[in-house]
C-alpha cells in the first residue's frame, strides 16, 4: 500500500495512492481510519512530505564505504543525531542553499516511518512498529559540520530533510537499492543490504534511548558518494520498489 499526504484546496489530508487516483482517508493514519468511497484524480492534488514528523532521528556512517570515505572507523554502535521537523520538505519543493555555507551535499537514504510507539523493543519485534518506508535526502552543510565537529547546525537548515514521495508499506528494507542522481548523473548507488546496522537493529537501538512515536522518522544512513549541490541542480533519490524523491536546488536569498 502507498500512503500519501497531499493538499487539495485549503485541506491537507492523507490518502491511499491507487494508480492515477487518490482514495482519501477518513480518520487517523496512525490509528483508526477508513477509505472514502470517492477517489480524487492525482492530477488535482499537490503532494506534500508524506508525514509531518514529531522528531527525525538520523544515523551517521551506517555504511562501511561511507565511513571509509570519511576517513573514520566503522562504528560499533549506531551514531545518532537529530534533525528538526522544520527541515522537512516534500518532493518537488526546492532545497535552499543557505548563505552561511559554501558546500552543501546530498545524502540519499531510506527512511522508516514509525507507526506504533516503540520503547525498549527487540530487533525481532522492531519492524512491527514501522508503518512503512520513504525516500529521504539528508542534506548537509559539509563545511559547517567539518569546521564545528558537530552535526546539528550543518544538518538543520530549513529544507535540509526532503521526504517522499509516499510511504510504502510492503518494501523489504533489508535489500533495496538506493540511487542518487544529480542532473541525471549517478552519484550514489548502494543496497541497504550493505548497512552496518539493519533497520530492525536501528529501531531497537533508538527505542532504548528514547520513545519512538507514531509519525516519527528514522533516517538510516547514506552510502558513499555524497557530493556537492549547486544552484540550479536537480537531485533525485530513488529507492528500488518505492519511488523517486525529486527536488530542485536554489540559492536561499535573505
Amino acid at each position: 500500500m502507498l500512503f500519501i499526504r497531499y493538499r487539495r484546496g485549503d485541506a491537507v489530508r492523507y490518502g491511499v495512492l491507487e494508480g492515477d487516483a487518490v482514495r482519501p482517508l477518513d480518520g487517523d493514519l496512525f490509528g483508526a481510519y477508513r477509505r472514502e468511497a470517492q477517489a480524487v484524480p492525482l492530477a488535482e492534488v499537490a503532494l506534500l512530505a508524506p508525514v509531518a514528523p514529531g522528531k527525525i532521528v538520523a544515523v551517521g556512517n551506517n555504511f562501511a564505504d561511507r565511513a571509509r570515505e570519511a576517513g573514520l572507523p566503522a562504528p560499533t554502535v549506531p551514531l545518532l543525531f537529530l534533525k528538526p521537523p522544520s527541515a522537512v520538505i516534500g518532493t518537488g519543493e526546492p532545497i535552499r542553499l543557505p548563505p552561511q555555507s559554501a558546500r552543501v551535499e546530498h545524502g540519499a537514504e531510506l527512511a522508516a516511518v514509525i507507526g506504533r510507539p516503540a520503547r525498549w523493543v527487540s530487533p525481532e519485534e522492531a519492524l512491527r512498529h514501522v508503518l512503512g518506508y520513504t525516500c529521504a535526502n539528508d542534506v548537509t552543510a559539509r563545511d559547517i559540520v567539518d569546521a564545528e565537529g558537530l552535526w546539528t547546525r550543518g544538518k538543520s537548515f530549513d529544507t535540509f530533510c526532503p521526504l517522499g514521495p509516499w510511504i510504502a508499506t510492503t518494501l523489504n528494507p533489508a535489500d533495496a537499492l538506493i540511487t542518487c542522481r544529480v542532473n541525471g548523473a549517478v552519484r550514489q548507488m548502494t543496497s541497504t543490504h550493505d548497512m552496518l546496522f539493519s533497520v530492525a537493529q536501528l529501531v531497537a537501538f533508538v527505542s532504548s534511548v528514547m520513545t519512538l512515536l507514531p509519525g516519527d522518522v528514522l533516517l538510516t544512513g547514506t552510502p558513499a558518494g555524497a557530493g556537492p549541490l549547486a544552484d540550479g541542480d536537480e537531485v533525485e533519490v530513488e529507492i528500488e520498489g518505492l519511488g523517486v524523491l525529486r527536488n530542485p536546488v536554489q540559492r536561499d536569498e535573505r
Side-chain angles (χ1 to χ4, degrees):
M1 189 178 299
L2 300 177
F3 290 114
I4 69 168
R5 182 168 162 266
Y6 66 92
R7 177 180 289 110
R8 188 174 188 234
D10 294 329
V12 173
R13 303 191 64 181
Y14 284 102
V16 175
L17 186 62
E18 298 178 345
D20 59 358
V22 178
R23 187 80 60 177
L25 297 184
D26 181 19
D28 179 8
L29 177 63
F30 302 99
Y33 64 83
R34 65 175 183 86
R35 299 190 205 187
E36 294 187 357
Q38 185 65 44
V40 176
L42 181 60
E44 294 183 7
V45 309
L47 287 180
L48 304 174
V51 65
K55 60 179 173 289
I56 304 157
V57 184
V59 181
N61 296 331
N62 195 31
F63 287 83
D65 60 355
R66 177 59 176 162
R68 286 194 299 270
E69 182 180 60
L72 299 170
T76 57
V77 296
L79 305 178
L80 305 183
F81 60 94
L82 299 174
K83 291 175 79 88
S86 55
V88 172
I89 57 173
T91 192
E93 296 185 75
I95 296 168
R96 300 194 179 277
L97 305 175
Q100 299 97 316
S101 175
R103 184 179 175 93
V104 172
E105 296 182 348
H106 59 79
E109 305 201 9
L110 174 69
V113 180
I114 302 300
R116 296 168 50 197
R119 177 64 172 156
W120 286 110
V121 300
S122 68
E124 291 72 26
E125 63 184 340
L127 295 187
R128 293 201 291 269
H129 295 261
V130 174
L131 173 68
Y133 304 90
T134 193
C135 304
N137 193 342
D138 176 22
V139 182
T140 303
R142 180 58 54 194
D143 52 349
I144 292 177
V145 169
D146 289 348
E148 296 180 348
L150 300 169
W151 282 333
T152 299
R153 185 164 76 102
K155 289 179 174 285
S156 296
F157 287 95
D158 288 356
T159 76
F160 271 26
C161 190
L163 299 173
W166 38 68
I167 299 169
T169 61
T170 59
L171 182 80
N172 176 11
D175 191 17
L177 185 66
I178 302 173
T179 303
C180 180
R181 292 179 291 269
V182 177
N183 303 326
V186 173
R187 293 271 190 90
Q188 296 176 283
M189 182 181 287
T190 305
S191 171
T192 57
H193 178 74
D194 295 328
M195 286 180 176
L196 296 174
F197 303 99
S198 69
V199 174
Q201 289 172 315
L202 292 174
V203 171
F205 181 82
V206 175
S207 79
S208 74
V209 178
M210 65 189 83
T211 301
L212 289 168
L213 298 173
D216 286 347
V217 169
L218 175 60
L219 305 186
T220 60
T222 195
L229 295 172
D231 185 28
D233 283 348
E234 181 180 74
V235 57
E236 296 175 319
V237 175
E238 180 174 5
I239 295 180
E240 180 183 29
L242 199 162
V244 180
L245 169 67
R246 184 177 292 109
N247 298 94
V249 180
Q250 300 176 3
R251 191 173 307 282
D252 193 2
E253 303 293 346
R254 293 183 61 186

